[in-house]
Amino acid sequence: MAILGAGSMLLAAALAALPATAGAQAPDELTKKLLFSAPMTGNGDNVPADALSLDACLTAATELVGPDSFDSCADQAVGPVPESGKSPGYLQLTDASKFNTGAAILNKALPNKGGIEVTFAQYQYGGTGADGISFFLVDGGTDLTEAGAFGGSLGYAQHGDNPGVDGAYLGLGLDTWGNFSADTEGRGTGCPAAYQAPAHLQVPFNRAPDNVALRGPGEGTQGYCLLATTATDEKIGEYANGDIYGTDFPESLRSATLDGAKRMVKLKVGDGQHPKVTVDIDFLDGEGWTRVLETEVPFEAPDTFKIGFAASTGAATDVHLIRHLRVETFVD
């Protein structure tokens, strides 16, 4: 994974030289082994020592400690947040206040044996639809203590002069506002044409709301290239600053209320030089899992990896919650 820190020229050259396909054993053909499980419904008594809060909190917790502890959410209660101190609770990344950020990181290397599967429940609701939630994987050799840039970069990618997350390998954006798929604000700097956003999402202020996207490896302000997005080229509206584009998506990622906001997310990363990646979402509408994205990562996955969640709001907002994280690897 030395390629990740080798600079923009090497990153771009490696991306441009990639062959079109690479075969590998499908994760579905292998046996899963549980690596990490975190319901996030309790008061924080059993939070792992390597888990770091960056202004995230646990709604079931009752004690206020500080912004870098998984403590009570009583001081982060703007909007229709879950009742503080009530169990079962949630990991709260943000309330519905403006220009808010939050992240939760596991600074512990987990082994990658033949692929990775991550499932969790996400909740976005109660505001005006911004910005979204990211889940990310980084090289396990990284000292993961900070998220990346926020706003439309969702704590994963770069944003202007603000760097993306260190050692980045793969970032999943559950993007209600719609900037994570856009190569604006500095996102995707140094990426070759094949890994850039479509032209209509390279125009400042254009966006594709309520979509899912994957961005790849990066370091500092270089890379974090767009690998896949549910955004389409169908213009569905406009606002004072730009055009709004549609998404190839059966349901919304968010809801007006907590009761209707739960969405189950499943991310799979395969094995091999160019791992296959799939994203499935269960909208809890009786239809089960829906495949929303399928692509390849242009670099082999690291032997170990670390994980994180992040979320942000802007002038528009939402409450952002996570529950029931489960991380598994695949073995022969």
Side-chain angles (χ1 to χ4, degrees), residues 10 43 82 109 120 126 148 178 194 196 199 214 245 257 281-282 289 302 327:
L10 186 54
N43 63 9
F120 57 90
Q196 294 176 2
L214 290 164
Y245 288 86
T257 65
I281 297 180
D282 187 346
W289 291 106
V327 184

Side-chain angles (χ1 to χ4, degrees), residues 46-57:
N46 58 352
V47 172
D50 297 304
L52 305 177
S53 166
L54 303 175
D55 213 17
C57 58

Side-chain angles (χ1 to χ4, degrees), residues 3 6-19 189-193 195 222-223 225 298-299:
I3 186 69
S8 60
M9 292 181 63
L10 186 54
L11 177 67
L15 283 166
L18 288 172
T189 298
C191 296
Y195 294 95
Q222 300 292 318
C225 306
F299 295 112

Side-chain angles (χ1 to χ4, degrees), residues 115-195:
I116 303 157
E117 180 175 291
V118 181
T119 57
F120 57 90
Q122 67 102 50
Y123 305 75
Q124 302 188 60
Y125 71 96
T128 48
D131 284 306
I133 293 174
S134 71
F135 172 82
F136 48 85
L137 301 170
V138 308
D139 190 321
T142 304
D143 185 19
L144 183 62
T145 59
E146 298 289 343
F150 283 95
S153 298
L154 299 184
Y156 178 73
Q158 73 275 64
H159 188 293
D161 294 331
N162 297 311
V165 70
D166 288 343
Y169 179 69
L170 184 66
L172 168 65
L174 303 162
D175 185 15
T176 55
W177 183 251
N179 284 343
F180 194 71
S181 293
D183 281 350
T184 55
E185 303 173 316
R187 278 180 295 277
T189 298
C191 296
Y195 294 95

Side-chain angles (χ1 to χ4, degrees), residues 172-248:
L172 168 65
L174 303 162
D175 185 15
T176 55
W177 183 251
N179 284 343
F180 194 71
S181 293
D183 281 350
T184 55
E185 303 173 316
R187 278 180 295 277
T189 298
C191 296
Y195 294 95
Q196 294 176 2
H200 61 280
L201 293 179
Q202 295 186 37
V203 178
F205 304 112
N206 283 3
R207 58 189 177 91
D210 205 34
N211 84 89
V212 174
L214 290 164
R215 286 188 173 270
E219 194 66 51
T221 58
Q222 300 292 318
Y224 309 94
C225 306
L226 184 66
L227 303 180
T229 175
T230 60
T232 71
D233 60 1
E234 178 188 6
K235 182 178 173 180
I236 61 171
E238 57 186 38
Y239 64 120
N241 293 323
D243 295 330
I244 302 174
Y245 288 86
T247 187
D248 184 16

Side-chain angles (χ1 to χ4, degrees), residues 33-37 46-53 70 104-112 116 135-146 302-308 325 327:
K33 177 183 178 181
L34 180 65
L35 296 177
F36 184 75
S37 177
N46 58 352
V47 172
D50 297 304
L52 305 177
S53 166
F70 289 100
I105 289 168
L106 182 66
N107 194 19
K108 176 183 178 180
L110 302 173
N112 174 20
I116 303 157
F135 172 82
F136 48 85
L137 301 170
V138 308
D139 190 321
T142 304
D143 185 19
L144 183 62
T145 59
E146 298 289 343
D303 292 334
T304 63
F305 60 95
K306 295 177 180 179
I307 61 174
L325 171 65
V327 184

